[in-house]
Amino acid sequence: MSMNNSPNVFLDPNANRFQVNIINESHDNNETSQEDVGSEPPHYEETSFTDEAHNRLRISYRPGKRELYDNFLQNGEKTEASLHPYDTHTKMYYLQTFGHNTVDPVPKIDYYRNTGSVSGNKLSRPSLLEIHEQLAKVRERSTSIVKLRLKMPIRSKTPHPFSVQVSSARHKNVFVFCVILQNIAVSTSSVERVANGESTAGDETAVSKEEENKTGFVKFGWVKGVLVRCMLNIWGVMLFIRLSWIVGQAGIGLGVIIILLATMVTSITGLSTSAIATNGFVRGGGAYYLISRSLGPEFGGSIGLIFAFANAVAVAMYVVGFAETVVQLLKESDTLMVDESNDIRIIGTITVVCLLGISVAGMEWEAKAQVILLIVLLVAIANFFIGTVIPTNNEKKARGFFNYQASIFAENFGPDFRSGEGFFSVFAIFFPAATGILAGANISGDLKDPQVAIPKGTMLAILITTVAYIGVAICAASCVVRDATGNINDTVVPGMSCNGSSACSLGYDFSRCASQPCDYGLMNNFQVMSMVSGFAPLITAGIFSATLSSALASLVSAPKVFQALCKDNVYKGLHFFAKGYGKNNEPIRGYVLTFVIAMAFILIAELNTIAPIISNFFLASYALINFSCFHASYAKSPGWRPAFRYYNMWVSLFGALLCCGVMFVINWWAALITYAIELFLYIYVTYKKPEVNWGSSTQALYYINALDSALALTTVEDHVKNFRPQCIALTGAPMIRPALLDITHTFTKNNGLCICCEVYTGPRKLCVKEMNSGMAKKQAWLTKNKRKAFYAAVAADSFRDGVKSLLQASGLGRMKPNTLVIGFKKDWRNAAATQVENYVGVIHDVFDFELGMIIVRISQGFDISQVLQVQEELEKLEQERLALEATIRENDFEEGRRGICGFFRKASTLNISKHETKKGSTINTIQSMHVGEFNQKLLEASTQFKKKQGKGTIDIWWLFDDGGLTILIPYILTIRKKWKNCKLRIFTGGKVNRIEEEKLVMASLLSKFRIKFADINIICDINIKPNKESWKFFEEMIEPYRLHESCKDITTAEKLKRETPWKITDAELEAFKEKSYRQVRLNELLQEHSRAANLIVLSLPVARKGVVSDYLYMAWLEILSKNLPPVLMVRGNHKNVLTFYS
């Protein structure tokens, strides 16, 4: 590789500030030419990297290749004729940024895309390692990897255990097999994708590549996609047949307040929706997508299902409304087909089939139908306003319509609630007319720019529809009286007193309506708008348009929301409905399901009961959208940066509470049912725990709460009553020493902090790389195996240095470890002296830092890494076998389809079958061989603390007062479910002549500590000499580590001390002979009294630092805990962890 480092590149004062050099690895320096960048000095105030600054972007290209680079600059895409911005396997890419050649790329949106993004290709920026390491080493490493991947399967002389000898016609099988194995290795990157917010389950990656290659994508702007849909969905049949009754009951003043109150709910929800929709790229799914990505899958999954169901049932409601209007017209003309109920079912069925046909035909056809329906609706509304100024006739006057009259306005301004109606009951009837604001958001995946379209279209639709509602209400109440008889002969008789009646002042006497029902007027006639309008059939057309448009919007919304829910795989049983068809990924299966649900409710034809529940379903989704906006703002996550600024977190919270209140106002029992269903689904999704990570505000709030709690803890002084074991467990990788983790987890679960720690020693670069790559995997293993523990790792020059770092830096504030748990070093007699020194040094360091110490010993040891390695190898071999078989089957199937040609290949197929048989037998041989090598006792020992312990004892040899940790640990064990059948037996030292007194003292102490025990044993013969066999065994054990300086002359002895300072001197052995006797004698007593115990908890002897040698101390621990049940050697930090004060 050559790099142009000439002075004219780096030192030329006329060189451009931003310049790209494309340098080919195999291209010679003299073949690379640099384009003249001009003589103009740089303009430092211009720092844009956009297309406007294209004149400052220069690329050095090889002769004849200018087209290729121009194509890359213009398109920004990787095609066959374009250059990938960074690819270590093909070409090295260097940017000369600010006059310096570097692998560092400039900021680019493609680096921030999700994998498989529809809107563009995700590019991978150079890793920190590639930038940080020397370039030659990175090139060498990447080149060797490429060569290894490409050459090894073909040129390797040593056959793979599962390789198959195939003819030259089948060389492609080998290549495909290699690709499959590479894909298996690469699949581990899914963990990284989850951490970056790209879910493994239900993400768009499975279908996005298909969609990306398709042409003819139909995308809508803010008018056609949001404004039109929202207006049509908000303007329902209520506008034409109920608004006049509402304003008659509440009057103009309260009627406008009712409309504005409903609008306030929808406007706050619209503002919250706009804020969430502009906080990042919005995909399909509407309300479900917004809620789930803000509050997480639990809230999103629960509301998404009921929201989709509500839209499906709403289709039936709107279609039945349309069918009822048609049946009324048939009844007036006496042309009913069967009867009213069955005619509604027949017309409803035909209508929903037609709507389904329009929806399945595609979003383009559906959008055209919506535009036509909106035009009809607008004409109908305009027709009403025109009718209010057309001079009325006697027939209309008799029905209460007198054009605009100040007296009618004044009379209708105040409320006149009748038939038990009140403000809230009237509001409950009107509110569903204000819903439908999410019609545009529900098809967010079909919008060109959802971030612009949803806020603009939704808020403008709310404004327009509110003005229309208020205008229609005021105009109707200014023209039509509340009660009218419809009889043109009911005129005022001369001399009659009007008593303030506006109709009387206008020449009509409707006074009898006070004593008997009338059929006309605002309070009695639902067809007021038809009567007032200039051309009544247009109002009927408007009713048809309102019902059909709302039904069509719901029929499209339900499958879209449901498809997004199924794609995320929140409910695994519903993944069948995630598949899309056609250029717009239409949810055909969802359409069919929605059709079935709508048909079922149409045929039932009893929607009055279900209607309040559906309204509450919509309100529940509004409440959660408002709460999502509040929650995201309250969590103060740096990722919450909505482009829409006109929102307030407290207003959103008020909107959420308002929605909940309105739910109870509309129907209290329907609200309770809604909450019950939502709670059930929330609990279900929480229990299932879908494997998704969307960076929800719930996660951000967890962090804030944890941080606040940790800070609050620092202000509170520690108290002995609140002491709990907070442990560092030196497990290494947690899956390697599961038994050590299990016993630690037993007394820290839901009680204290547990950190599984690992120390990496060796070359620092390799250690750091291995450590970083395994952090997430090992923490995930803890989570998967339900271990409430953290994983931490350090890279250090030695094991002791690493543990020192962990002891000093682990924890946060008051949540700092106070106890170290470590496994007994079983191989200390065969290990190097430095390893033993490090191990004992760790114990000294623990005591120096004033922490408690627990050494755990089990007979088989803790390390099961060999077992895991064999299992991993077997799994890899099985994966390779399955991948190879799949490849061969697929290739045979393709060749078999070629007809008779497949017949002549049967011989080679038979050969492959033979090889497969041999391969299968090889696997069986390998499996049986390795299974035979498994240490079954080791496997059983590794799981012994997971099992429920039977009836037995935990023997506590509390020989030294260490503050109470030796007695607290076993007490915590006995309150756990797995150890609750075990009783505590206490063993302690005492004098022969005071056994009973010592028992009473110990019993009194334990009772004050409120610790139950089964028995207390006073051991009086601890300090006598052990028997000869035991002592002889101890002497033989330490013999290889003794210096024997007394048998040598002074010069030789001094030389040996310098060469082997770790050996046990005769002087040391003599000085600590009594202590050695005690450890040997204690083992004899343990064998005598506690051989059958489930667990032994024993006071750990302390070796004086710099006085007792490492090997002598290890010999004490060895002889003390040898040939016993599981042993916990415990030593507290000699500070009280128990108290008998309240």
Side-chain angles (χ1 to χ4, degrees):
M1 186 192 80
S2 62
M3 185 180 291
N4 191 348
N5 291 329
S6 59
N8 65 326
V9 175
F10 292 99
L11 304 176
D12 186 2
N14 296 327
N16 223 315
R17 287 180 65 242
F18 179 70
Q19 187 172 2
V20 178
N21 282 347
I22 304 296
I23 303 170
N24 210 9
E25 289 183 6
S26 58
H27 201 262
D28 193 63
N29 198 20
N30 56 15
E31 293 178 358
T32 305
S33 64
Q34 183 173 343
E35 187 179 351
D36 185 12
V37 296
S39 57
E40 289 294 325
H43 300 283
Y44 293 98
E45 69 275 13
E46 297 178 7
T47 57
S48 174
F49 284 16
T50 60
D51 293 338
E52 297 174 358
H54 187 278
N55 62 323
R56 293 185 289 108
L57 178 63
R58 297 287 184 255
I59 294 182
S60 300
Y61 55 88
R62 290 194 289 173
K65 295 293 182 182
R66 179 164 190 163
E67 262 182 37
L68 184 146
Y69 302 125
D70 286 345
N71 185 41
F72 166 69
L73 281 178
Q74 292 170 6
N75 300 329
E77 299 174 348
K78 183 176 179 180
T79 61
E80 292 180 1
S82 67
L83 176 69
H84 194 292
Y86 183 82
D87 192 343
T88 55
H89 299 323
T90 53
K91 299 179 179 181
M92 270 294 178
Y93 168 75
Y94 305 101
L95 293 177
Q96 184 178 325
T97 309
F98 310 114
H100 177 66
N101 278 357
T102 176
V103 184
D104 264 344
V106 294
K108 189 171 185 178
I109 191 173
D110 293 329
Y111 296 132
Y112 297 91
R113 297 189 191 279
N114 282 353
T115 305
S117 173
V118 178
S119 54
N121 290 327
K122 175 182 174 60
L123 302 182
S124 296
R125 68 175 64 81
S127 69
L128 190 61
L129 177 66
E130 291 165 331
I131 295 172
H132 190 219
E133 291 281 352
Q134 296 180 25
L135 190 60
K137 290 184 179 179
V138 176
R139 281 191 58 235
E140 183 180 352
R141 189 182 295 115
S142 61
T143 306
S144 63
I145 291 172
V146 174
K147 288 179 179 178
L148 180 65
R149 285 182 179 172
L150 294 179
K151 294 181 179 180
M152 193 173 124
I154 301 173
R155 298 186 181 181
S156 176
K157 295 180 181 179
T158 305
H160 192 277
F162 297 129
S163 62
V164 180
Q165 301 297 325
V166 294
S167 61
S168 58
R170 294 197 173 188
H171 278 172
K172 60 182 179 179
N173 283 350
V174 179
F175 175 74
V176 174
F177 177 50
C178 297
V179 172
I180 290 172
L181 293 182
Q182 185 176 354
N183 289 340
I184 292 172
V186 171
S187 65
T188 56
S189 65
S190 61
V191 175
E192 182 184 351
R193 291 182 55 227
V194 170
N196 292 331
E198 303 176 50
S199 57
T200 56
D203 204 356
E204 66 172 358
T205 53
V207 293
S208 58
K209 289 297 180 183
E210 275 182 35
E211 295 172 354
E212 199 175 314
N213 296 330
K214 292 175 183 174
T215 56
F217 234 32
V218 178
K219 295 286 186 180
F220 303 112
W222 70 273
V223 174
K224 212 172 184 181
V226 182
L227 180 65
V228 171
R229 292 173 187 279
C230 287
M231 288 171 62
L232 283 171
N233 226 24
I234 295 171
W235 278 332
V237 70
M238 192 75 67
L239 174 67
F240 297 100
I241 63 176
R242 285 291 187 276
L243 191 58
S244 58
W245 177 86
I246 288 168
V247 77
Q249 290 275 356
I252 295 174
L254 289 181
V256 171
I257 291 176
I258 285 173
I259 295 171
L260 292 178
L261 183 59
T263 302
M264 182 170 66
V265 175
T266 56
S267 297
I268 294 173
T269 306
L271 293 174
S272 300
T273 304
S274 302
I276 299 172
T278 57
N279 189 53
F281 181 74
V282 179
R283 297 177 188 162
Y288 159 72
Y289 185 87
L290 298 178
I291 294 171
S292 63
R293 268 49 177 187
S294 294
L295 293 178
E298 296 84 6
F299 280 107
S302 58
I303 201 65
L305 197 59
I306 65 175
F307 186 72
F309 177 75
N311 273 285
V313 178
V315 175
M317 291 176 57
Y318 295 129
V319 168
V320 167
F322 168 77
E324 285 178 348
T325 307
V326 175
V327 168
Q328 188 65 31
L329 294 175
L330 293 176
K331 186 179 179 181
E332 290 175 1
S333 59
D334 197 22
T335 54
L336 289 175
M337 292 176 282
V338 185
D339 55 53
E340 288 189 31
S341 297
N342 286 315
D343 281 10
I344 290 173
R345 292 186 178 98
I346 294 169
I347 294 171
T349 301
I350 296 170
T351 304
V352 78
V353 169
C354 294
L355 294 177
L356 178 67
I358 294 172
S359 302
V360 172
M363 290 295 293
E364 198 170 0
W365 284 93
E366 188 266 349
K368 290 176 182 177
Q370 293 279 28
V371 171
I372 294 171
L373 292 173
L374 179 63
I375 292 172
V376 173
L377 195 58
L378 291 172
V379 170
I381 295 173
N383 176 49
F384 166 76
F385 287 113
I386 292 170
T388 59
V389 296
I390 296 176
T392 185
N393 53 38
N394 291 333
E395 183 181 358
K396 289 185 177 182
K397 285 181 179 179
R399 295 181 178 182
F401 174 50
F402 296 95
N403 294 113
Y404 292 105
Q405 300 292 334
S407 59
I408 296 177
F409 179 87
E411 184 181 69
N412 290 340
F413 189 83
D416 185 15
F417 294 112
R418 302 177 188 175
S419 304
E421 299 292 347
F423 177 82
F424 288 109
S425 63
V426 172
F427 173 78
I429 292 171
F430 171 76
F431 185 79
T435 59
I437 60 171
L438 297 179
N442 286 339
I443 62 160
S444 53
D446 297 295
L447 301 175
K448 289 179 183 176
D449 190 354
Q451 291 182 307
V452 174
I454 291 175
K456 189 186 292 186
T458 303
M459 298 310 297
L460 189 57
I462 293 172
L463 176 64
I464 294 172
T465 53
T466 302
V467 170
Y469 275 129
I470 293 175
V472 170
I474 293 175
C475 290
S478 302
C479 299
V480 184
V481 296
R482 281 192 168 102
D483 298 293
T485 60
N487 189 346
I488 59 175
N489 295 322
D490 287 342
T491 56
V492 174
V493 178
M496 179 180 175
S497 176
C498 291
N499 295 324
S501 171
S502 59
C504 181
S505 63
L506 294 171
Y508 280 82
D509 179 18
F510 300 143
S511 58
R512 65 188 175 94
C513 291
S515 58
Q516 65 183 45
C518 292
D519 296 330
Y520 297 97
L522 294 175
M523 304 288 284
N524 310 305
N525 183 14
F526 290 154
Q527 303 297 327
V528 166
M529 285 194 70
S530 297
M531 177 188 68
V532 173
S533 65
F535 184 60
L538 280 179
I539 298 299
T540 303
I543 294 173
F544 289 169
S545 174
T547 52
L548 292 177
S549 61
S550 297
L552 191 58
S554 297
L555 185 59
V556 170
S557 297
K560 293 282 185 182
V561 173
F562 192 59
Q563 183 188 34
L565 176 68
C566 297
K567 274 185 178 180
D568 288 337
N569 212 15
V570 176
Y571 303 99
K572 296 187 182 297
L574 300 178
H575 194 64
F576 171 79
F577 295 97
K579 184 173 176 58
Y581 297 88
K583 59 187 179 182
N584 262 43
N585 196 33
E586 295 291 345
I588 303 298
R589 296 173 179 177
Y591 282 130
V592 174
L593 180 63
T594 305
F595 170 77
V596 171
I597 294 172
M599 280 298 302
F601 282 95
I602 288 171
L603 295 177
I604 292 171
E606 290 291 338
L607 296 178
N608 290 335
T609 304
I610 199 75
I613 300 177
I614 301 307
S615 297
N616 276 314
F617 280 0
F618 286 123
L619 273 168
S621 63
Y622 293 173
L624 276 182
I625 287 176
N626 284 310
F627 185 71
S628 298
C629 183
F630 163 76
H631 201 269
S633 303
Y634 184 74
K636 299 175 184 176
S637 171
W640 174 249
R641 302 184 301 274
F644 185 84
R645 297 292 180 184
Y646 305 103
Y647 74 96
N648 180 273
M649 59 184 286
W650 300 111
V651 172
S652 296
L653 179 61
F654 173 72
L657 297 175
L658 197 59
C659 289
C660 294
V662 171
M663 290 173 68
F664 282 97
V665 166
I666 290 177
N667 193 301
W668 65 268
W669 58 263
L672 291 178
I673 291 175
T674 303
Y675 286 133
I677 294 173
E678 189 174 337
L679 181 62
F680 170 76
L681 293 174
Y682 178 88
I683 293 172
Y684 173 81
V685 177
T686 304
Y687 175 75
K688 289 296 183 181
K689 292 182 181 177
E691 295 179 1
V692 292
N693 182 5
W694 294 323
S696 66
S697 60
T698 306
Q699 296 173 351
L701 195 61
Y702 283 161
Y703 176 83
I704 291 293
N705 291 338
L707 184 61
D708 290 342
S709 299
L711 289 171
L713 272 177
T714 60
T715 63
V716 180
E717 291 294 329
D718 288 332
H719 194 280
V720 64
K721 287 196 295 185
N722 293 321
F723 177 86
R724 58 195 68 231
Q726 304 196 104
C727 300
I728 288 180
L730 292 180
T731 59
M735 64 283 292
I736 289 179
R737 295 177 179 84
L740 184 61
L741 172 60
D742 289 337
I743 189 62
T744 308
H745 188 254
T746 304
F747 54 80
T748 60
K749 180 183 178 183
N750 298 327
N751 189 54
L753 179 69
C754 180
I755 307 176
C756 297
C757 294
E758 185 172 9
V759 178
Y760 287 87
T761 58
R764 186 169 185 79
K765 290 181 180 178
L766 292 177
C767 288
V768 170
K769 184 178 180 182
E770 185 181 355
M771 180 179 70
N772 291 339
S773 63
M775 293 283 285
K777 177 183 175 184
K778 290 163 186 174
Q779 183 63 56
W781 185 91
L782 290 170
T783 304
K784 181 181 178 183
N785 288 272
K786 299 180 180 178
R787 296 292 178 267
K788 295 185 178 181
F790 300 96
Y791 172 78
V794 292
D797 295 331
S798 69
F799 175 73
R800 184 178 182 180
D801 289 341
V803 176
K804 265 187 189 176
S805 300
L806 291 168
L807 293 174
Q808 295 176 84
S810 295
L812 185 68
R814 296 289 181 196
M815 294 189 297
K816 287 183 71 69
N818 52 32
T819 307
L820 179 74
V821 182
I822 189 171
F824 178 71
K825 189 170 180 61
K826 192 180 177 184
D827 63 342
W828 66 275
R829 282 183 280 183
N830 300 321
T834 53
Q835 292 184 9
V836 176
E837 181 185 359
N838 281 332
Y839 184 84
V840 177
V842 165
I843 300 174
H844 289 307
D845 293 335
V846 170
F847 295 146
D848 286 341
F849 294 128
E850 294 188 342
L851 271 65
M853 183 77 199
I854 300 177
I855 299 177
V856 188
R857 180 174 186 178
I858 59 178
S859 58
Q860 299 297 323
F862 293 103
D863 193 344
I864 61 167
S865 55
Q866 291 183 349
V867 176
L868 294 177
Q869 186 177 358
V870 171
Q871 290 178 346
E872 186 178 351
E873 288 296 325
L874 289 174
E875 287 175 4
K876 284 182 179 179
L877 294 176
E878 182 67 11
Q879 282 183 348
E880 292 177 5
R881 183 183 69 81
L882 294 174
L884 182 59
E885 284 183 354
T887 306
I888 294 171
R889 280 197 303 269
E890 183 180 349
N891 193 67
D892 288 345
F893 176 73
E894 289 178 358
E895 291 180 352
R897 291 175 61 186
R898 299 173 187 172
I900 196 169
C901 296
F903 175 77
F904 296 102
R905 293 185 171 87
K906 283 185 179 179
S908 59
T909 305
L910 290 174
N911 288 337
I912 291 174
S913 300
K914 291 177 182 178
H915 283 290
E916 287 184 19
T917 305
K918 291 178 182 178
K919 174 180 49 136
S921 61
T922 304
I923 290 176
N924 291 332
T925 304
I926 291 173
Q927 285 181 342
S928 60
M929 179 181 65
H930 286 299
V931 168
E933 294 174 359
F934 283 175
N935 189 333
Q936 293 299 328
K937 290 184 178 179
L938 179 59
L939 284 175
E940 291 173 5
S942 69
T943 60
Q944 62 179 309
F945 298 125
K946 289 182 181 178
K947 302 172 185 176
K948 186 172 183 179
Q949 304 294 317
K951 288 185 178 181
T953 63
I954 298 177
D955 287 359
I956 306 170
W957 289 71
W958 196 9
L959 305 176
F960 309 105
D961 194 334
D962 59 351
L965 187 65
T966 306
I967 199 76
L968 180 63
I969 294 297
Y971 166 74
I972 295 174
L973 289 177
T974 58
I975 63 176
R976 301 301 187 189
K977 190 181 296 184
K978 293 176 182 175
W979 293 85
K980 67 180 182 179
N981 293 327
C982 294
K983 305 297 182 182
L984 296 183
R985 291 199 305 173
I986 313 299
F987 294 83
T988 188
K991 296 180 180 179
V992 178
N993 56 354
R994 297 187 73 249
I995 292 178
E996 292 303 322
E997 290 85 347
E998 297 284 355
K999 274 190 179 182
L1000 289 173
V1001 170
M1002 180 58 69
S1004 174
L1005 179 61
L1006 293 175
S1007 63
K1008 286 182 178 180
F1009 288 146
R1010 302 168 304 283
I1011 293 177
K1012 294 181 180 180
F1013 56 90
D1015 192 16
I1016 296 177
N1017 294 275
I1018 306 300
I1019 307 299
C1020 305
D1021 52 353
I1022 293 177
N1023 291 324
I1024 67 173
K1025 286 186 179 181
N1027 62 48
K1028 293 181 179 180
E1029 290 78 8
S1030 300
W1031 181 250
K1032 183 180 180 182
F1033 176 84
F1034 178 77
E1035 286 184 323
E1036 288 175 353
M1037 180 172 60
I1038 64 174
E1039 180 62 30
Y1041 316 108
R1042 292 186 61 179
L1043 191 64
H1044 290 293
E1045 77 279 8
S1046 59
C1047 302
K1048 301 176 177 64
D1049 58 83
I1050 297 176
T1051 306
T1052 306
E1054 291 298 328
K1055 182 180 179 183
L1056 287 173
K1057 284 183 181 180
R1058 289 194 300 272
E1059 292 176 352
T1060 54
W1062 45 269
K1063 284 198 171 184
I1064 305 169
T1065 64
D1066 294 339
E1068 177 192 359
L1069 191 60
E1070 185 62 31
F1072 294 102
K1073 194 167 189 177
E1074 291 296 327
K1075 198 165 186 177
S1076 299
Y1077 281 157
R1078 187 188 307 150
Q1079 311 311 321
V1080 179
R1081 176 59 185 161
L1082 275 173
N1083 182 259
E1084 292 177 351
L1085 293 170
L1086 286 163
Q1087 297 284 351
E1088 179 183 346
H1089 296 282
S1090 299
R1091 183 73 177 171
N1094 293 50
L1095 180 70
I1096 298 173
V1097 181
L1098 174 67
S1099 291
L1100 174 70
V1102 177
R1104 293 190 180 277
K1105 187 167 58 173
V1107 179
V1108 179
S1109 63
D1110 298 335
Y1111 277 91
L1112 180 59
Y1113 185 62
M1114 289 303 298
W1116 288 351
L1117 299 183
E1118 172 74 29
I1119 197 63
L1120 185 62
S1121 57
K1122 188 174 181 61
N1123 297 328
L1124 290 171
V1127 177
L1128 269 62
M1129 291 178 276
V1130 181
R1131 174 68 69 158
N1133 62 356
H1134 287 242
K1135 294 179 182 178
N1136 289 347
V1137 301
L1138 296 172
T1139 181
F1140 48 81
Y1141 295 106
S1142 59

